[in-house]
């Protein structure tokens, strides 16, 4: 959200004789500025610069102010908060704070609202499904056989995440076929919503080598036996997913294939997941 336009050391305002230093900042595309604090600074000096900068940006008609604080600059969090900044999001190496200048309701976008995960439906030529029992989590000690699941990493495509998770948990090499379905739930992980994509994969190997740190055991199980488990039968969501998998096994269902494409503005590689039967893209 930054451009090459920057705010450096300048006079605030021009009628004043004394030069006032401002925080180095870059204009963003939405009428605001972003401050990327890279050098250490005394908290009192930072507070003075911050107040002068806000005053100048207010005169310039700026809106949102973003301050990116690396973790080593934790001493600057308190003075920023005391000037009216609030937390927007945090990553392992930095904290992002934000401030709204206009005396109107802010239009700053919320932090990421969803976690994205995958469930992997891997079926061999015998009609057997790859299933696991987990060491940790809600299924620990239940004896329930479940599909391999996992969280998509930042910057990772869904299709690649499904292949990676299956490899990590079971040692099975696979190739992506299609997305069969997805479900959305809320208030699931630190109050965030959750998206789970059920992906069908084709196995390229068959000798299971389970992940000892997370998987109690893994096996190939007839798809019908997987779907017949009491837990699956008695829980609507699991039962619905199992029925979709059985329908796919019998060629009565078609999901969404990954179509390579590029993004609209940066030309980065991405995928469009769609049912393209009879459609030329």
């Amino acid at each position: 959200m930054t451009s090459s336009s920057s705010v450096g050391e300048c006079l605030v305002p021009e009628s004043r004789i004394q030069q006032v230093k401002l925080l180095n900042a870059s204009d963003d595309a939405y009428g605001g500025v972003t401050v990327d604090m890279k050098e250490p600074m005394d908290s009192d000096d930072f507070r003075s610069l911050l107040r002068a900068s806000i005053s100048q940006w207010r005169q310039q008609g700026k809106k949102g102010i973003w301050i990116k604080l690396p973790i080593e600059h934790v001493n600057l969090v308190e003075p920023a908060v005391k000037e009216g900044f609030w937390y927007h999001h945090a990553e392992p190496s930095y904290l992002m704070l934000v401030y709204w200048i206009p005396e109107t309701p802010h239009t700053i976008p919320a932090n990421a609202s969803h976690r994205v995960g995958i469930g992997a439906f891997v079926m061999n030529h015998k009609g057997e499904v790859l299933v696991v029992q987990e060491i940790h989590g809600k299924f620990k000690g239940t004896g329930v056989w479940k599909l391999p699941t996992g969280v998509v990493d930042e910057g990772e495509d869904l299709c690649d995440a499904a292949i990676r998770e299956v490899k990590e948990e079971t040692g099975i090499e696979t190739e992506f076929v299609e997305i069969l379905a997805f479900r959305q739930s809320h208030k699931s992980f630190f109050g965030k919503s959750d998206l789970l994509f059920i992906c069908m994969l084709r196995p390229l190997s068959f000798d299971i080598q389970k992940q000892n740190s997370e998987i109690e055991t893994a096996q190939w199980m007839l798809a019908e036996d997987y779907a017949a488990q009491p837990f699956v039968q008695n829980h609507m969501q699991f039962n619905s997913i199992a029925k979709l998998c059985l329908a796919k096994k019998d060629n009565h269902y078609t999901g969404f294939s990954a179509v390579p494409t590029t993004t609209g503005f940066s030309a980065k590689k991405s995928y469009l997941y769609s049912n393209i039967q009879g459609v030329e893209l």
Side-chain angles (χ1 to χ4, degrees):
M1 290 176 53
T2 62
S3 67
S4 59
S5 176
S6 64
V7 180
E9 298 182 4
C10 60
L11 294 175
V12 186
E14 291 182 359
S15 60
R16 293 178 58 179
I17 298 176
Q18 182 182 7
Q19 283 191 340
V20 179
K21 290 185 177 181
L22 302 179
L23 293 170
N24 289 323
S26 299
D27 292 342
D28 64 32
Y30 302 93
V33 296
T34 300
V35 179
D36 192 354
M37 296 295 300
K38 296 181 179 179
E39 299 298 328
M41 184 179 295
D42 176 79
S43 58
D44 290 334
D45 293 340
F46 173 73
R47 182 181 291 108
S48 297
L49 286 174
L50 183 58
R51 287 176 176 174
S53 299
I54 293 174
S55 177
Q56 174 71 356
W57 294 328
R58 180 176 286 110
Q59 293 179 38
Q60 294 175 346
K62 300 299 183 183
K63 296 179 179 179
I65 305 174
W66 301 79
I67 297 183
K68 182 178 180 181
L69 287 180
I71 195 169
E72 57 268 24
H73 299 340
V74 66
N75 65 306
L76 305 183
V77 174
E78 183 177 358
V81 171
K82 286 184 175 179
E83 292 302 317
F85 282 78
W86 67 90
Y87 296 168
H88 186 268
H89 66 271
E91 295 291 341
S93 62
Y94 74 86
L95 173 67
M96 184 70 79
L97 298 117
V98 68
Y99 179 92
W100 186 250
I101 295 177
E103 295 181 1
T104 60
H106 76 77
T107 58
I108 292 171
N111 183 24
S113 61
H114 285 68
R115 184 178 68 159
V116 180
I118 61 91
F121 173 60
V122 186
M123 186 176 65
N124 63 21
H125 63 284
K126 299 178 182 179
E128 296 172 329
V129 179
L130 182 63
V131 292
V132 300
Q133 291 184 358
E134 296 177 335
I135 294 175
H136 310 290
K138 295 181 179 179
F139 288 98
K140 175 183 177 181
T142 63
V144 173
W145 293 100
K146 60 182 290 291
L147 302 179
T149 57
V151 177
V152 180
D153 291 337
E154 182 177 349
E156 185 178 36
D157 289 306
L158 290 170
C159 49
D160 294 332
I163 293 171
R164 173 184 56 77
E165 283 291 347
V166 170
K167 175 65 175 178
E168 289 177 357
E169 292 191 0
T170 68
I172 298 296
E173 300 282 356
T174 61
E175 62 181 2
F176 180 83
V177 178
E178 60 190 27
I179 292 175
L180 297 180
F182 71 91
R183 71 102 178 95
Q184 182 185 32
S185 64
H186 304 291
K187 303 294 182 182
S188 32
F189 187 75
F190 290 110
K192 300 297 185 180
S193 298
D194 188 87
L195 289 171
L196 178 71
F197 291 82
I198 306 301
C199 303
M200 182 176 184
L201 306 177
R202 182 179 297 110
L204 301 178
S205 65
F206 304 94
D207 183 22
I208 295 174
Q209 299 178 19
K210 73 179 182 70
Q211 184 181 34
N212 293 327
S213 61
E214 295 187 14
I215 303 302
E216 182 69 35
T217 186
Q219 68 170 0
W220 293 100
M221 170 186 280
L222 285 174
E224 292 78 6
D225 291 342
Y226 164 74
Q229 292 181 98
F231 179 89
V232 173
Q233 289 288 311
N234 294 330
H235 289 77
M236 181 181 296
Q237 181 174 284
F238 285 84
N239 192 24
S240 297
I241 292 173
K243 287 179 178 179
L244 285 176
C245 292
L246 290 177
K248 180 63 183 178
K249 171 181 175 291
D250 295 331
N251 296 317
H252 295 154
Y253 180 82
T254 302
F256 296 89
S257 301
V259 180
T261 183
T262 56
T263 58
F265 295 99
S266 62
K268 291 185 295 186
K269 183 196 79 170
S270 64
Y271 289 98
L272 175 66
Y273 296 91
S274 61
N275 186 326
I276 59 175
Q277 294 187 25
V279 178
E280 183 177 350
L281 298 180

